[in-house]
Amino acid sequence: MTILVIAEHDNASLKGATLNTVSAAAKLGGDVAVLVVGAGSGAAAEAAAKVAGVAKVLVADSAAFAEQQAENVAAQIVAVVQASGGAISHVLAAATTFGKNVLPRVAALLDVAQISEIVGIESPDTFVRPIYAGNALATVKSSDSVKVITVRTTAFEAAGEGGAAAVEQVAAVADLGLSKLVGRELTKSARPELGAAKIIVSGGRGMGSSENYHRVLEPLADKLGAAMGASRAAVDAGYVPNDYQVGQTGKIVAPQLYVAVGISGAIQHLAGMKDSKVIVAINKDPEAPIFQVADYGLVADLFEAVPQLTSAV
Amino acid sequence: MKILVPVKRVVDYNVKVRVKSDGSGVDIANVKMSMNPFDEIAVEEAVRLKEAGVATEVVAVSCGVGACQETLRTAMAIGADRGILVETDADLQPLAVAKLLKALCDREQPQVVICGKQAIDDDANQTGQMLSALMGWPQATFASKVAVGDGKATVTREIDGGLETLEISLPAVVTTDLRLNEPRYATLPNIMKAKKKPLETVKPADLGVDVTPRLTTLKVVEPAKRSAGVMVADVAQLVEKLKNEAKVL
Ligand SMILES: Cc1cc2nc3c(=O)[nH]c(=O)nc-3n(C[C@H](O)[C@H](O)[C@H](O)COP(=O)(O)OP(=O)(O)OC[C@H]3O[C@@H](n4cnc5c(N)ncnc54)[C@H](O)[C@@H]3O)c2cc1C
Ligand SMILES: Cc1cc2nc3c(=O)[nH]c(=O)nc-3n(C[C@H](O)[C@H](O)[C@H](O)COP(=O)(O)OP(=O)(O)OC[C@H]3O[C@@H](n4cnc5c(N)ncnc54)[C@H](O)[C@@H]3O)c2cc1C
């Protein structure tokens, strides 16, 4: 039984989410192989070989994989699974926008179901996953020959270093030529990534404007070394870019400390942050639902409380 | 150019579902059902493409129980031209839905299929990608901007680090993210008009699709509740608690 983990990378380095996926894979029992589909991705492959618990690294290298479009990457994964002659029993990727984009294609091409965003593993064919914005947890059993799974990274620890896996090249599939990259606008930030941050400071519609969001929250985030997040309302209103959104349909986070400022606590928002270890809510409305999940609630005007907090920490 | 829009009937996003005490699932009897919000965005986008003269026909499709007709009528009230109900009482999983949609794509030959990125009940986020794979088409998921023209589409996607723009050849599948558009409210005259638009019903067997579930739900439970927190009087007390009690600072 071989568990194939799909590496998420930018050719030069491995993304942190891959480490959590390796930990989930290790829980299944069996050999963990990491597949790096990339273009000039030797450095990412070497990083994967050093991850504890990885038995083998497979590398498929082609210019067609440079931009990581779903069509070519999925075709490559399917080719690797089929070439294994049944040895590969599971295909795992992180439930990031990359994994969510690629893995359902793999499942469909293999004619199997995908099990989305698992948070627990009961046995090699039985998994726990949240449904209805995390208001229910379903235990599902798969009858398919190959299990195709996306992993909620916050539910599994990151694997450490210490591996010394062999790196093996595999034949790259032909370019399907269906899609081409026009450009990317990536948010540049010196702050930690939302998904991996220990502390997150998050602002909602209560911030009132983009200017306020940055003026009030950034000094606090700077002092705490925190990542910055937002509610959908704040993103929709243009205070911050889309990749700040925390929630059912944005990013799922579980930091040590989540500070929710001017966020009411709609179920869609709670779905993305209620597994945080400690939640602090600052809101002027004592009835705001966010207080129901907060460990520490402060009813106050954020424009007074946040600067005070910034100077006190 | 024809656009196909799959629309799913789901528990309304304002409803907080309850897990059944026997652990067999969630209780959706007598709760408000609505069109999946991402699918409203999909219908809106398709209708705008028609209004802009890019598309000629918008066909809404729903797979599920008879009551999905209401969802199709809602789509037609927003502006879809006709509806197709694939009627079944079976528990439909994304692969099965994708296969049903493939059969309809083979028949209807749309140039673009616009799906929601995820249904807010099962949160699977799979169906559009699966359909695209089964058709051998390109995909552009999590779209926040779509421009269609001349055998191709240019789509801006919301990704983890920001935004990405792809050019894909048509036919293709696009899935919608929240910021693609703000769906209009259906007006009363349009709701009335929608009642007269054509709605065809087919069965999975008519389409030659086996919808047998691949996943069995063994049990559904409520997640662990967070233990009740405390209200603090002021910032000083908050900082004291975070340092000495929670030890996170
Ligand atoms: C399909 C769908 C998907 C969604 N996905 C998400 C998602 O992923 N993430 C998400 O966050 N939302 C999501 N939502 C939206 C969600 O339902 C809420 O609308 C949203 O979370 C509200 O954001 P908010 O709390 O910032 O705004 P509001 O609900 O308007 O709350 C603002 C809060 O700020 C407080 N406030 C105002 N001024 C001050 C002040 N001076 N000092 C202190 N407090 C103040 C108010 O008391 C209020 O509680 C989704 C909705 C739908 C339909
Ligand atoms: C634990 C569990 C319990 C379930 N219980 C039930 C139940 O009680 N009743 C039941 O009916 N199903 C049930 N299902 C099936 C499930 O709710 C979904 O119908 C199925 O898994 C599709 O997932 P999704 O809608 O999240 O797909 P997604 O891939 O998230 O959907 C994305 C998009 O695909 C399109 N789409 C998806 N489904 C349809 C559809 N049916 N018709 C038209 N377009 C569609 C829409 O455009 C949608 O936005 C259950 C599944 C699980 C795992």
Side-chain angles (χ1 to χ4, degrees), chain A residues 129 131-132 138-140, chain B residues 5-10 24-26 28 36 38-39 42 61-65 68 89-94 97 101 114-129 215 217 219-220:
Chain A
R129 59 176 302 260
I131 52 174
Y132 290 94
T139 305
V140 295
Chain B
V5 185
V7 294
K8 186 180 182 192
R9 182 173 176 267
V10 299
S24 64
V26 298
I28 56 167
N36 181 38
F38 289 98
D39 303 352
V61 180
S62 194
C63 309
V65 295
C68 294
D89 292 336
D91 171 7
L92 289 178
Q93 291 175 351
V97 175
L101 295 174
I114 310 181
C115 285
K117 82 161 173 179
Q118 80 195 66
I120 59 163
D121 48 0
D122 198 38
D123 285 335
N125 199 329
Q126 302 174 10
T127 307
Q129 296 89 313
L215 301 176
T217 303
K219 66 172 184 216
V220 176

Side-chain angles (χ1 to χ4, degrees), chain A residues 101 105 111 116 274 296, chain B residues 99 126 132 141 226 245:
Chain A
N101 193 35
R105 271 192 96 91
D111 193 24
S116 295
K274 69 181 158 60
Y296 303 107
Chain B
K99 287 181 179 176
Q126 302 174 10
S132 164
T141 53
R226 288 187 76 89
E245 197 174 87

Side-chain angles (χ1 to χ4, degrees), chain A residues 8 67 69-71 96-98 100-102 104-105 107-109 111-117 122 126 129-144 177-187 199 224 232 235-236 242-243 245 248-251 256-257 267-268 273-280 282 291 293-299 305 308-309 312-313, chain B residues 11 13-17 19 26 28 38 41 93-95 99 117-127 129-134 136-142 154 156-169 177-179 213-224 226-236 238-239 241-243 245-249:
Chain A
E8 187 165 343
E67 306 304 343
Q69 277 110 311
E71 298 81 359
T96 53
T97 50
F98 168 76
K100 289 174 178 174
N101 193 35
V102 172
R105 271 192 96 91
L109 294 171
D111 193 24
V112 301
Q114 174 183 285
I115 307 135
S116 295
E117 296 228 42
E122 308 258 285
T126 306
R129 59 176 302 260
I131 52 174
Y132 290 94
N135 286 307
L137 289 173
T139 305
V140 295
K141 187 178 160 104
S142 162
S143 57
D144 285 319
L178 291 171
S179 150
K180 109 177 166 230
L181 181 78
V182 178
R184 288 203 179 105
E185 261 175 70
L186 301 181
T187 307
I199 303 182
L224 295 174
R232 173 190 172 182
V235 177
D236 284 1
N242 62 280
D243 52 310
Q245 183 179 316
Q248 179 188 9
T249 61
K251 285 190 180 138
Q256 295 291 309
L257 174 63
I267 47 176
Q268 293 85 7
M273 46 63 83
K274 69 181 158 60
D275 292 328
S276 304
K277 185 157 169 276
V278 175
I279 297 173
V280 169
I282 301 175
F291 289 125
V293 301
D295 298 283
Y296 303 107
L298 175 62
V299 178
Q308 283 176 21
L309 182 59
V313 295
Chain B
V11 172
Y13 80 98
N14 278 311
V15 174
K16 186 160 189 258
V17 297
V19 171
V26 298
I28 56 167
F38 289 98
I41 296 172
Q93 291 175 351
L95 182 62
K99 287 181 179 176
K117 82 161 173 179
Q118 80 195 66
I120 59 163
D121 48 0
D122 198 38
D123 285 335
N125 199 329
Q126 302 174 10
T127 307
Q129 296 89 313
M130 286 183 156
L131 171 64
S132 164
L134 295 177
W137 290 353
Q139 69 185 40
T141 53
F142 326 143
T154 307
T156 302
R157 312 176 51 230
E158 296 198 357
I159 58 169
D160 283 338
L163 297 172
E164 167 180 289
T165 303
L166 294 179
E167 187 184 285
I168 52 176
S169 54
D177 216 318
L178 293 168
R179 280 159 285 273
R214 305 295 185 83
L215 301 176
T216 321
T217 303
L218 302 181
K219 66 172 184 216
V220 176
V221 298
E222 261 181 54
R226 288 187 76 89
S227 48
V230 295
M231 299 304 286
V232 293
D234 51 28
V235 169
L238 174 62
V239 173
K241 295 258 186 207
L242 290 176
K243 281 191 171 142
E245 197 174 87
K247 300 192 178 13
V248 286
L249 287 186

Side-chain angles (χ1 to χ4, degrees), chain B residues 2-243:
Chain B
K2 197 190 283 186
I3 302 181
L4 198 79
V5 185
V7 294
K8 186 180 182 192
R9 182 173 176 267
V10 299
V11 172
D12 187 84
Y13 80 98
N14 278 311
V15 174
K16 186 160 189 258
V17 297
R18 272 177 210 290
V19 171
K20 288 187 196 161
S21 52
D22 65 359
S24 64
V26 298
D27 196 353
I28 56 167
N30 304 318
V31 304
K32 185 179 177 208
M33 304 293 285
S34 300
M35 188 191 300
N36 181 38
F38 289 98
D39 303 352
E40 277 184 60
I41 296 172
V43 178
E44 176 68 34
E45 195 64 19
V47 171
R48 286 186 192 184
L49 285 167
K50 189 179 168 197
E51 287 166 349
V54 178
T56 48
E57 190 185 24
V58 177
V59 183
V61 180
S62 194
C63 309
V65 295
C68 294
Q69 289 195 22
E70 290 166 26
T71 317
L72 289 169
R73 293 288 173 207
T74 308
M76 291 188 271
I78 299 172
D81 298 293
R82 61 186 167 96
I84 303 173
L85 169 63
V86 183
E87 192 176 5
T88 169
D89 292 336
D91 171 7
L92 289 178
Q93 291 175 351
L95 182 62
V97 175
K99 287 181 179 176
L100 294 170
L101 295 174
K102 173 179 190 304
L104 287 174
C105 284
D106 289 341
R107 197 185 86 176
E108 297 280 340
Q109 304 278 321
Q111 283 295 101
V112 183
V113 177
I114 310 181
C115 285
K117 82 161 173 179
Q118 80 195 66
I120 59 163
D121 48 0
D122 198 38
D123 285 335
N125 199 329
Q126 302 174 10
T127 307
Q129 296 89 313
M130 286 183 156
L131 171 64
S132 164
L134 295 177
M135 298 302 296
W137 290 353
Q139 69 185 40
T141 53
F142 326 143
S144 64
K145 201 170 157 203
V146 176
V148 177
D150 210 18
K152 59 186 194 221
T154 307
V155 181
T156 302
R157 312 176 51 230
E158 296 198 357
I159 58 169
D160 283 338
L163 297 172
E164 167 180 289
T165 303
L166 294 179
E167 187 184 285
I168 52 176
S169 54
L170 299 183
V173 175
V174 173
T175 79
T176 61
D177 216 318
L178 293 168
R179 280 159 285 273
L180 181 58
N181 61 48
E182 258 185 71
R184 69 194 71 183
Y185 286 103
T187 60
L188 193 59
N190 284 340
I191 293 171
M192 300 311 289
K193 248 196 261 168
K195 292 193 175 150
K196 299 204 186 71
K197 290 186 180 174
L199 196 163
E200 176 196 1
T201 299
V202 296
K203 303 267 185 215
D206 304 335
L207 299 172
V209 175
D210 174 9
V211 297
T212 312
R214 305 295 185 83
L215 301 176
T216 321
T217 303
L218 302 181
K219 66 172 184 216
V220 176
V221 298
E222 261 181 54
K225 285 235 160 43
R226 288 187 76 89
S227 48
V230 295
M231 299 304 286
V232 293
D234 51 28
V235 169
Q237 195 189 1
L238 174 62
V239 173
E240 187 274 317
K241 295 258 186 207
L242 290 176
K243 281 191 171 142

